[in-house]
Amino acid sequence: MSAAEIVDPTRSPASSRQKVLQFLGPIVGVLLVIAAIIAISLHNYRTTRQGAIALSSDLLRSQQKYVTEEVRNYLSPASDSASIAPDMFGSPLTDASPDSFMLYGRSMLAHTPQVDSFYLASDQGQFWMVTRHGKDYEQTHFQVENGHEVYRHTYVDQNGTYLGTAFDPADKYDVTARPWF
């Protein structure tokens, strides 16, 4: 008879199963705890990530809406003034000072800080501009004086009271070649 065929009556098959369970039980328990920790961590990561993405998206949408509103509020007076101007200045330009344009320009510059200057020009080469000059205003006109093309600068206060004048040479100035024309 071989040694494998010999049965030990004192040895119980239940005790060998118990030894295996005593050895594998803690290992399986530790693996289950590790698996549970990993599963909970992944769930928390995904939940936190989705929440952070949703919050960031909401914040970006809110900021974009705020910036859009601020830009609209800042630029709308300028565009509104530009839409009114053609109705006010529908008559053809001459070399005479367009007083209504100058008054309108000074008024808009006084009440609308985002507007920097007003231009009035024609395809015949006439050009007028109103811009801020410190706390007063500069009214510029392109004209020919003594056979020379010049920019005539007239300085006035808010009421149009004359404060002074100056000129700069403007050789070969063509208003129609400007990108804003």
Side-chain angles (χ1 to χ4, degrees):
M1 179 182 253
S2 77
E5 295 177 0
I6 299 174
V7 176
D8 184 8
T10 60
R11 192 169 172 209
S12 164
S15 68
S16 66
R17 278 190 226 130
Q18 187 177 15
K19 286 182 183 179
V20 171
L21 286 177
Q22 285 175 346
F23 177 73
L24 291 179
I27 294 173
V28 171
V30 169
L31 290 176
L32 285 174
V33 169
I34 291 172
I37 290 171
I38 290 172
I40 291 170
S41 296
L42 285 175
H43 173 72
N44 285 342
Y45 169 76
R46 287 184 181 140
T47 304
T48 304
R49 184 174 183 272
Q50 288 172 347
I53 289 171
L55 182 61
S56 297
S57 179
D58 289 346
L59 180 64
L60 287 174
R61 264 190 249 108
S62 173
Q63 276 300 104
Q64 184 171 1
K65 183 179 176 184
Y66 172 76
V67 168
T68 301
E69 187 70 25
E70 286 294 315
V71 168
R72 182 183 305 120
N73 290 341
Y74 186 79
L75 294 178
S76 65
S79 62
D80 292 346
S81 66
S83 65
I84 295 170
D87 295 336
M88 292 182 66
F89 312 116
S91 60
L93 280 178
T94 65
D95 283 332
S97 175
D99 294 326
S100 60
F101 170 74
M102 296 301 175
L103 177 62
Y104 173 75
R106 289 192 310 266
S107 178
M108 287 303 294
L109 290 172
H111 299 294
T112 313
Q114 56 268 50
V115 176
D116 187 50
S117 59
F118 276 91
Y119 296 82
L120 183 63
S122 73
D123 56 357
Q124 285 84 34
Q126 293 106 340
F127 171 74
W128 291 89
M129 177 181 74
V130 181
T131 188
R132 290 185 187 88
H133 185 75
K135 63 180 181 171
D136 297 316
Y137 301 94
E138 174 185 334
Q139 300 176 164
T140 303
H141 179 220
F142 171 72
Q143 59 191 35
V144 177
E145 293 181 4
N146 300 326
H148 299 285
E149 295 176 335
V150 297
Y151 295 111
R152 173 61 59 188
H153 308 285
T154 306
Y155 303 99
V156 298
D157 64 8
Q158 173 63 34
N159 298 321
T161 306
Y162 176 80
L163 300 174
T165 189
F167 73 91
D168 291 320
D171 297 327
K172 299 180 180 151
Y173 177 76
D174 182 10
V175 69
T176 60
R178 303 293 176 217
W180 50 263
F181 183 76

